[in-house]
């Protein structure tokens, strides 16, 4: 992905080029093809370009009074271009993405985001209105961070570029650290925090604005919400649903196939194989001109799985070149805390090598991320119980007519069982958390609230899928403390507004039950063994890693002084001698944080 940076001096003093260039230099590895800056007094914009197709042009990009830096892919152009022309703005179907972004803003002002589909993070400067606008795409596939410190506003797709500003401190955000230790993924609870006190994260589907004539007041707001009340799609025949799915999903996959060489990250499951089958059809039909390679990551000896077998079946059926990447040689060993923020990463060097190999195979990747959430099934019993009686009766009768038999409702046990949403049967709350640190920030209550979370709106037909889709930040890029990592774009067709709205408007049965939609849609295109394969979780990889030779250090690591404010080291239970508690991931978090604390200052 390309890198971008923006700096605004709120007091009106000119931006110092030397300071800005040092920050932008951090992003050179992201964009080796072209780097440029644009400085106009108190405003500076910079960009590092990674070119994957003809639509990737050098930035900063200026059109009339608007200057933009972005990483952006605009989808659904066949709908956007006519809308722009109706608004009096001439635009071509093959226009560069950043040009369409600028023209949409000129056409609709701040409402332009409601007209855009795709993956994007950008900063826009309107010189006439003396206003800065920055936004992230609807699902947050691309990140955007910002800091307002010492009379300056800094924005970038990388935390580390912002940290290079002299007024941004290295102080940590204790709430983020505590959420990492107790929840694992801090963004489950709060999407605005980062590991650093001075730096914030713009949530998905949000826009940030600052108008300098209004004393530099910064505001953020949500510009889009996944609809919860689209009417149910009512077709008479199953084939009509399948045909419409192929149309919607095909557009989502095609829009993400801009590069000349594309890697399809292929597991043996339905989500990634459906993407691969669609991509192959698009290439065969001439709709897309690209070289495809299937890429599968497997555990062979340390944590045996069947992904190699099923992915090979799919690749062979589709006629894809297939590369299998075995992860056994990447142990549970330090250093692990090499990311820009603490994360649950357990195999040293694996992410770097995974990135290196995939980038050698193509400029962009397609992956099945989000498929499980989009197709998350809910029992008909639970759906009917949440509806008004007349609506429940009408839906039940409609399902009976469509299926040709009485629809299975499922969920009888839960229907007659009292549930307590504050109880969670997953990972336990860690008792090694420092008591004073816990009381200061109420982490136990935050832990409870995380597992009791519900979205603002209830979806009538697919409540589980809607909850899962809306609760997470879907960032698909990784950032390391050192300037290294993935340049190419990772795209996920299931993280597409059109796909999600279509699936959420389907009748509950039969489409999401056991991913029936994919099993039917790809009959004849994928091997029968793949289509009939049941969902196969990866299992407890961490436990398998702890059973390998040479991991005794996991119980013997020495805490850095900074860890003491968060964790009671002596209270962490041994892991090598007690590998089957099911809580290994929880008890490894202090070690991961400790390693990161020893590295984050550089």
């Amino acid at each position: 992905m390309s890198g971008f940076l923006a700096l605004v001096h709120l007091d009106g003093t000119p931006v110092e080029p030397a300071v800005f260039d040092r920050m932008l230099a951090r992003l050179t590895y992201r964009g080796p093809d072209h780097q440029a800056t644009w400085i106009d007094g108190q405003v500076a914009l910079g960009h590092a370009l990674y070119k994957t197709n003809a639509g990737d042009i050098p930035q900063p990009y200026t059109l009339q009074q608007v200057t933009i830096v972005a990483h952006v892919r605009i989808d659904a152009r066949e709908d956007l271009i006519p809308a722009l022309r109706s608004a009096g703005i001439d635009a071509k179907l093959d226009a560069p993405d950043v040009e369409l972004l600028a023209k949409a803003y000129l056409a609709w002002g701040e409402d332009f985001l409601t007209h855009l589909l795709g993956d994007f993070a950008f900063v826009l400067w309107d010189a006439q209105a003396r206003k800065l606008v920055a936004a992230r795409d609807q699902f947050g596939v691309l990140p955007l961070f910002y800091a307002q410190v010492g009379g300056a506003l800094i924005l970038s797709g990388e935390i580390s570029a912002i940290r290079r500003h002299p007024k941004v401190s290295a102080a940590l955000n204790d709430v983020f650290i505590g959420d990492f230790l107790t929840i694992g993924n801090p963004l489950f609870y709060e999407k605005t925090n980062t590991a650093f006190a001075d730096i914030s994260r713009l949530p998905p589907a949000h826009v940030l604005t600052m108008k300098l004539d209004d004393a530099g007041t910064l505001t953020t707001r949500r510009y889009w919400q996944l609809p919860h009340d689209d009417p149910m799609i009512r077709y008479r025949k199953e084939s009509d649903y399948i045909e419409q799915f192929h149309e919607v999903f095909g557009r989502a996959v095609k829009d993400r196939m801009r590069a000349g060489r594309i890697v399809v990250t292929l597991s043996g499951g339905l989500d990634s194989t459906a993407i691969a089958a669609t991509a192959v059809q698009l290439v065969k039909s001439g709709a897309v001109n690209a070289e495809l390679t299937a890429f599968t990551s497997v555990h062979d000896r340390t944590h045996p799985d069947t992904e190699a077998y099923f992915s090979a079946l799919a690749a062979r059926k589709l006629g894809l070149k297939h590369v299998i990447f075995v992860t056994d040689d990447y142990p549970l060993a330090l250093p692990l805390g090499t990311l820009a923020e603490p994360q649950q990463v357990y195999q040293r060097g694996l992410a770097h090598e995974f990135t290196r190999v995939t980038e050698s195979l193509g400029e962009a990747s397609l992956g099945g991320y989000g498929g499980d959430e989009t197709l998350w099934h809910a029992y008909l019993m639970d759906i009917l119980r949440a509806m008004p009686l007349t609506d429940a009766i009408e839906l039940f009768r409609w399902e009976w007519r469509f299926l040709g038999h009485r629809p299975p409702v499922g969920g009888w046990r839960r229907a007659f069982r009292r549930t307590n949403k504050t109880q969670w049967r997953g990972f336990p709350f860690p008792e090694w958390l420092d008591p004073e640190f816990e009381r200061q920030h109420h982490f136990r209550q935050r832990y409870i609230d995380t597992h009791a979370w519900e979205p603002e709106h209830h979806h009538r037909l697919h409540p589980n899928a809607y909850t899962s889709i809306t609760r997470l930040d879907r960032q698909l890029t990784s950032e390391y403390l050192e300037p290294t990592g993935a340049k190419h774009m990772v795209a996920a067709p299931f993280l597409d507004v059109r796909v999600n709205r279509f699936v959420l408007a389907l009748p509950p049965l039969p489409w999401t039950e056991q991913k029936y939609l994919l099993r039917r849609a790809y009959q004849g295109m994928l091997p029968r063994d793949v289509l009939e394969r049941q969902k196969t979780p990866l299992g407890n990889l961490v436990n398998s890693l702890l059973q390998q030779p040479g991991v005794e250090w996991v119980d013997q690591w020495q805490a850095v002084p900074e860890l003491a404010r968060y964790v009671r080291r002596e209270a962490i239970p041994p892991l090598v001698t007690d590998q089957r508690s099911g809580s290994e991931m929880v008890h490894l978090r202090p070690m991961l944080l400790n390693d990161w604390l020893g590295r984050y200052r550089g």
Side-chain angles (χ1 to χ4, degrees):
M1 59 175 282
S2 298
F4 64 89
L5 176 69
L7 172 60
V8 181
H9 282 184
L10 306 180
D11 59 3
T13 59
V15 171
E16 299 175 26
V19 172
F20 190 75
D21 288 347
R22 180 177 179 274
M23 298 168 66
L24 185 61
R26 160 70 196 198
L27 303 176
T28 302
Y29 81 100
R30 289 279 190 197
D33 296 322
H34 184 267
Q35 299 91 39
T37 61
W38 176 94
I39 299 178
D40 184 10
Q42 70 188 104
V43 180
L45 303 177
H47 191 264
L49 175 67
Y50 178 58
K51 190 174 178 64
T52 63
N53 61 79
D56 294 330
I57 63 172
Q59 302 176 35
Y61 175 82
T62 299
L63 183 64
Q64 298 182 28
Q65 80 275 15
V66 173
T67 302
I68 299 177
V69 287
H71 186 88
V72 54
R73 189 197 67 247
I74 298 297
D75 297 340
R77 290 171 173 234
E78 63 275 14
D79 300 322
L80 178 63
I81 300 303
L84 283 170
R85 291 172 179 167
S86 296
I89 302 291
D90 185 38
K92 296 180 179 179
L93 195 62
D94 61 351
D97 297 279
V98 69
E99 178 183 316
L100 292 178
L101 191 62
K103 288 185 173 181
Y105 177 79
L106 293 174
W108 298 298
E110 286 194 31
D111 290 335
F112 77 124
L113 290 164
T114 62
H115 295 265
L116 299 180
L117 293 179
D119 298 340
F120 52 79
F122 67 85
V123 179
L124 178 154
W125 171 248
D126 184 336
Q128 182 175 312
R130 291 182 54 75
K131 179 172 62 177
L132 181 140
V133 180
R136 276 181 86 188
D137 61 76
Q138 289 89 344
F139 292 114
V141 171
L142 294 173
L144 182 56
F145 307 99
Y146 65 96
Q148 187 173 0
V149 293
L153 174 64
I154 314 127
L155 306 97
S156 180
E158 278 214 4
I159 289 175
S160 299
I162 297 175
R163 289 185 63 198
R164 288 195 174 192
H165 190 279
K167 293 184 179 178
V168 174
S169 76
L172 298 181
N173 183 334
D174 283 351
V175 172
F176 183 95
I177 300 299
D179 285 343
F180 168 74
L181 291 169
T182 57
I183 301 169
N185 183 350
L187 303 185
F188 273 1
Y189 191 87
E190 186 138 14
K191 296 183 176 70
T192 60
N193 285 337
T194 73
F196 298 94
D198 287 345
I199 303 175
S200 298
R201 175 184 270 104
L202 189 67
H206 275 67
V207 58
L208 175 153
T209 58
M210 175 176 281
K211 193 166 184 179
L212 297 190
D213 292 343
D214 293 339
T217 302
L218 185 151
T219 62
T220 63
R221 65 174 177 86
R222 175 180 286 278
Y223 67 82
W224 177 85
Q225 179 81 46
L226 182 64
H228 66 284
D229 54 0
D230 283 341
M232 189 174 81
I233 300 172
R234 297 169 182 261
Y235 293 145
R236 294 192 176 193
K237 296 184 297 181
E238 189 175 88
S239 59
D240 293 336
Y241 286 101
I242 300 300
E243 181 181 350
Q244 185 62 21
F245 171 73
H246 277 304
E247 170 66 21
V248 173
F249 197 62
R251 290 175 67 183
V253 175
K254 180 184 176 184
D255 282 344
R256 289 160 173 79
M257 296 182 67
R258 304 265 196 90
R261 297 185 307 143
I262 298 173
V263 179
V264 182
T265 53
L266 190 67
S267 72
L270 285 169
D271 303 335
S272 63
T273 53
I275 292 169
T278 302
V280 167
Q281 288 296 106
L282 288 166
V283 171
K284 286 183 176 180
S285 69
V288 171
N289 182 19
E291 175 188 330
L292 301 178
T293 301
F295 180 83
T296 302
S297 174
V298 301
H299 304 278
D300 191 3
R301 302 181 307 276
T302 59
H303 189 73
D305 58 43
T306 57
E307 298 306 305
Y309 171 75
F310 286 101
S311 62
L313 286 180
R316 192 177 307 118
K317 173 79 171 179
L318 296 171
L320 286 172
K321 173 187 174 183
H322 190 204
V323 176
I324 294 181
F325 177 65
V326 180
T327 67
D328 292 322
D329 294 331
Y330 301 90
L332 177 62
L334 298 176
L336 290 169
T338 59
L339 290 159
E341 299 179 286
Q343 292 186 29
Q344 296 184 102
V345 175
Y346 303 103
Q347 292 180 267
R348 182 181 66 191
L350 175 59
H352 280 289
E353 186 63 13
F354 184 96
T355 296
R356 187 194 67 78
V357 175
T358 53
E359 287 193 346
S360 73
L361 299 172
E363 296 84 28
S365 293
L366 292 173
Y369 314 102
D372 286 340
E373 292 81 1
T374 299
L375 293 164
W376 196 319
H377 182 63
Y379 288 121
L380 186 60
M381 167 68 77
D382 295 335
I383 295 168
L384 297 175
R385 289 176 66 213
M387 286 182 172
L389 180 59
T390 55
D391 292 350
I393 293 172
E394 193 277 334
L395 176 61
F396 187 79
R397 287 177 173 173
W398 191 93
E399 289 280 14
W400 196 322
R401 288 194 300 270
F402 181 79
L403 296 172
H405 57 79
R406 180 174 179 170
V409 294
W412 283 105
R413 290 185 178 181
R414 284 206 310 278
F416 296 102
R417 185 178 66 211
R418 292 183 180 181
T419 60
N420 183 349
K421 293 182 179 179
T422 64
Q423 292 181 348
W424 174 250
R425 295 186 178 183
F427 297 129
F429 185 83
E431 299 304 326
W432 38 253
L433 199 68
D434 180 80
E436 181 57 33
F437 179 60
E438 190 281 320
R439 284 192 295 269
Q440 183 180 358
H441 298 287
H442 310 289
F443 286 116
R444 192 177 295 272
Q445 186 59 50
R446 290 172 71 88
Y447 169 87
I448 292 171
D449 292 344
T450 296
H451 298 301
W453 184 90
E454 291 187 355
E456 180 181 355
H457 302 288
H458 174 82
H459 198 279
R460 298 172 69 251
L461 302 174
H462 300 279
N464 293 348
Y466 188 83
T467 298
S468 182
I469 294 165
T470 55
R471 86 168 300 172
L472 289 181
D473 186 307
R474 298 291 174 174
Q475 178 181 329
L476 294 183
T477 62
S478 296
E479 178 188 345
Y480 294 87
L481 292 169
E482 296 298 320
T484 181
K487 295 187 295 293
H488 76 176
M489 180 65 184
V490 179
F494 282 103
L495 298 181
D496 184 282
V497 171
R498 296 162 295 182
V499 172
N500 278 270
R501 292 191 68 172
F502 173 78
V503 173
L504 290 175
L506 291 173
L509 292 173
W511 302 109
T512 59
E513 187 176 27
Q514 300 290 322
K515 295 188 178 178
Y516 180 80
L517 176 64
L518 301 185
R519 298 181 194 276
R520 279 290 290 116
Y522 291 94
Q523 281 188 1
M525 299 172 67
L526 291 172
R528 177 178 294 182
D529 284 357
V530 172
L531 292 172
E532 295 179 354
R533 184 190 186 195
Q534 297 301 304
K535 178 67 177 175
T536 308
L538 177 62
N540 194 335
L541 172 61
V542 172
N543 183 276
S544 295
L545 292 173
L546 286 169
Q547 295 181 44
Q548 304 307 307
V551 298
E552 293 78 11
W553 66 270
V554 168
D555 292 331
Q556 301 165 4
W557 54 270
Q558 298 298 310
V560 299
E562 202 169 354
L563 185 71
R565 65 184 300 196
Y566 307 118
V567 169
R568 293 183 298 126
R569 172 67 180 91
E570 70 282 359
I572 301 172
L575 293 175
V576 175
T577 56
D578 181 19
Q579 300 170 357
R580 302 200 176 275
S581 68
S583 303
E584 300 90 350
M585 291 177 64
V586 176
H587 299 317
L588 277 173
R589 289 174 196 157
M591 182 270 290
L592 296 174
L593 176 61
N594 186 72
D595 189 38
W596 185 85
L597 289 172
R599 302 176 190 280
Y600 79 95
R601 293 182 184 273

